[in-house]
Amino acid sequence: MNAEKRREIFTRLRAALPHPTTELEYTSPFELLISVILSAQATDVSVNKATRKLYPVANTPAQIYALGVDGLIPYIQTIGLYRTKAKNVIETCRMLMTLHDSQVPRTREELQALPGVGRKTANVVLNTAFGMPTIAVDTHIFRVSNRTGIAPGKDVDAVEQKLMKLVPAEFLLDAHHWLILHGRYTCIARKPLCWNCCIADLCDFKSKTPLPDKGI
């Protein structure tokens, strides 16, 4: 895929959704951090359902830490891997209080030193909470990048490196959200909605899904 086609793809994605953002619900960088930790191998919908009950009760490092693992579990037990996540969240809160004056750090290295925070989570927080041009490659972005030809790669790290290099600078801040949402609702895994895709004519995917037969 050439640079001109790639630019047109992001121009169209921006036109369709000028102000994209995460579907996780949060009101502070700390809430976003906890929500992203909880979202690993879980849906944003399931995380939002849990945090709608948790955050009105506890939404600071001190408040959540005071709950302890056993006190936190009832709020998040509907989310997959909740026991491990509860331990990670409590330890993260402790580290934020003792090492960062209860503030969410603004560097990838400091974020990734927190339990349950990998590169993808750190990139989400840096991008969404602090407005840094990072791209967190999840399954949706990995699929869209490879299927469309925007930035093909054999693993998430390779795709991230290519996206950071190939996405035009003016689109870099929001590229993360456009690609996730496109993968979540249009370029879906099993049967992409190519017939309803604003970039279908620019996409390298050869086996495009035709318009469904309404008679069936």
Side-chain angles (χ1 to χ4, degrees), residues 137-214:
V137 179
D138 68 350
T139 56
H140 297 300
I141 293 183
F142 183 78
R143 179 176 65 255
V144 171
S145 297
N146 276 284
R147 183 183 275 168
T148 62
I150 291 173
K154 66 183 188 317
D155 55 43
V156 293
D157 291 335
V159 169
E160 180 185 342
Q161 291 173 16
K162 279 196 175 181
L163 286 170
M164 293 299 295
K165 178 182 178 180
L166 297 174
V167 174
E170 68 178 290
F171 302 109
L172 202 52
L173 181 62
D174 291 325
H176 164 84
H177 297 299
W178 283 320
L179 294 174
I180 282 180
L181 294 171
H182 192 66
R184 187 172 288 168
Y185 297 111
T186 302
C187 196
I188 56 180
R190 290 191 177 182
K191 201 170 185 180
L193 310 182
C194 303
W195 49 271
N196 193 38
C197 175
C198 66
I199 61 170
D201 59 312
L202 303 169
C203 168
D204 289 347
F205 184 52
K206 291 181 172 56
S207 304
K208 290 187 169 63
T209 309
L211 181 67
D213 186 344
K214 294 182 180 179

Side-chain angles (χ1 to χ4, degrees), residues 8-211:
E8 177 61 19
I9 284 175
F10 283 102
T11 298
R12 293 188 191 179
L13 292 176
R14 179 174 63 185
L17 190 62
H19 305 291
T21 189
T22 179
E23 292 187 318
L24 290 170
E25 297 170 359
Y26 71 98
T27 63
S28 69
F30 174 70
E31 287 187 2
L32 177 64
L33 171 62
I34 299 306
S35 290
V36 180
I37 291 174
L38 294 176
S39 72
Q41 299 182 51
T43 66
D44 288 357
V45 171
S46 68
V47 173
N48 288 338
K49 285 181 179 178
T51 58
R52 284 173 196 157
K53 297 177 181 178
L54 172 63
Y55 292 157
V57 174
N59 70 340
T60 67
Q63 290 172 343
I64 291 183
Y65 184 74
L67 291 175
V69 172
D70 291 340
L72 177 58
I73 281 177
Y75 291 100
I76 67 170
Q77 61 187 358
T78 55
I79 302 172
L81 306 175
Y82 67 89
R83 293 187 187 278
T84 298
K85 290 176 182 178
K87 293 177 183 177
N88 286 339
V89 167
I90 294 302
E91 179 60 12
T92 286
C93 289
R94 186 194 68 78
M95 292 177 65
L96 290 177
M97 290 189 294
T98 57
L99 300 178
H100 302 287
D101 195 28
S102 293
Q103 300 299 307
V104 176
R106 292 173 177 247
T107 70
R108 179 180 287 109
E109 293 73 22
E110 289 175 310
L111 283 167
Q112 287 188 231
L114 300 171
V117 178
R119 184 177 181 86
K120 183 178 74 172
T121 296
N123 280 342
V124 172
V125 173
L126 292 172
N127 177 272
T128 305
F130 301 128
M132 298 183 189
T134 60
I135 297 178
V137 179
D138 68 350
T139 56
H140 297 300
I141 293 183
F142 183 78
R143 179 176 65 255
V144 171
S145 297
N146 276 284
R147 183 183 275 168
T148 62
I150 291 173
K154 66 183 188 317
D155 55 43
V156 293
D157 291 335
V159 169
E160 180 185 342
Q161 291 173 16
K162 279 196 175 181
L163 286 170
M164 293 299 295
K165 178 182 178 180
L166 297 174
V167 174
E170 68 178 290
F171 302 109
L172 202 52
L173 181 62
D174 291 325
H176 164 84
H177 297 299
W178 283 320
L179 294 174
I180 282 180
L181 294 171
H182 192 66
R184 187 172 288 168
Y185 297 111
T186 302
C187 196
I188 56 180
R190 290 191 177 182
K191 201 170 185 180
L193 310 182
C194 303
W195 49 271
N196 193 38
C197 175
C198 66
I199 61 170
D201 59 312
L202 303 169
C203 168
D204 289 347
F205 184 52
K206 291 181 172 56
S207 304
K208 290 187 169 63
T209 309
L211 181 67

